[in-house]
Amino acid sequence: MFSPPPEGIAFPDWAYKPESSPGSRQIQLWHFILELLQKEEYQGVIAWQGDYGEFVIKDPDEVARLWGIRKCKPHMNYDKLSRALRYYYNKRILHKTKGKRFTYKFNFSKVVLVNYPLLDMAIPPGKIAQAPLS
DNA sequence: TTCGGAATTG
DNA sequence: CAATTCCGAA
């Protein structure tokens, strides 16, 4: 039969964007990719590959167009989109699966931390811990 | 196809 | 700071 959706890579809740507090930033690129990946209607353009967090882009131009619409950038294209993705390598949010075409992998360890900085709020009185992130 | 520098913007 | 754009290189 057709391969059932791998249960391990489905996004529970923590993958969602904490979204906008007033004055927040706009949606980041990986949030948008996550949103597309969670919808079956986009499996024609982007879908999970197999391993944990690995996904493959089937229609880069389609993804790029949707992303462009989202950001009001009508001249978006996979070349520019992937450029932003490449900057994510250094941020440890994404990685590239080499050998395959249009295949990337999410770095959940970092994604969770980025999404939930508020989870670590155990601050002992009198001492403020500061994480030298980003 | 993929990587990355550099300049610019919000 | 994150993303966009341009473009050369491997």
Side-chain angles (χ1 to χ4, degrees):
Chain A
M1 285 66 163
F2 204 87
S3 47
E7 63 295 304
I9 56 176
F11 285 88
D13 315 316
W14 42 268
Y16 292 121
K17 190 164 137 256
E19 209 187 301
S20 17
S21 324
S24 252
R25 295 145 193 153
Q26 289 184 39
I27 191 172
Q28 282 174 264
L29 183 53
W30 52 279
H31 280 314
F32 184 72
I33 303 296
L34 252 41
E35 198 174 296
L36 261 51
L37 280 164
Q38 83 174 265
K39 294 167 196 248
E40 290 179 49
E41 52 254 63
Y42 290 113
Q43 284 198 8
V45 290
I46 186 171
W48 296 110
Q49 232 286 321
D51 285 312
Y52 189 59
E54 277 189 22
F55 65 97
V56 52
I57 300 172
K58 298 175 183 174
D59 264 292
D61 202 59
E62 180 70 16
V63 176
R65 184 168 62 256
L66 289 164
W67 173 237
I69 293 165
R70 193 91 170 127
K71 282 298 220 39
C72 300
K73 241 81 189 178
H75 292 291
M76 182 52 66
N77 148 58
Y78 183 67
D79 189 41
K80 298 178 206 155
L81 200 154
S82 63
R83 211 72 43 94
L85 255 37
R86 272 175 234 139
Y87 277 101
Y88 279 156
Y89 302 160
N90 306 302
K91 294 180 188 177
R92 311 280 280 237
I93 296 173
L94 277 149
H95 277 276
K96 184 75 205 303
T97 305
K98 289 181 180 179
K100 288 183 209 163
R101 210 156 61 173
F102 311 128
T103 307
Y104 295 85
K105 181 171 62 178
F106 270 103
N107 216 22
F108 283 139
S109 336
K110 187 71 179 186
V111 171
V112 174
L113 290 173
V114 170
N115 264 320
Y116 287 86
L118 302 175
L119 282 177
D120 182 63
M121 54 190 175
I123 303 174
K127 182 176 182 180
I128 308 298
Q130 174 56 32
L133 265 175
S134 98

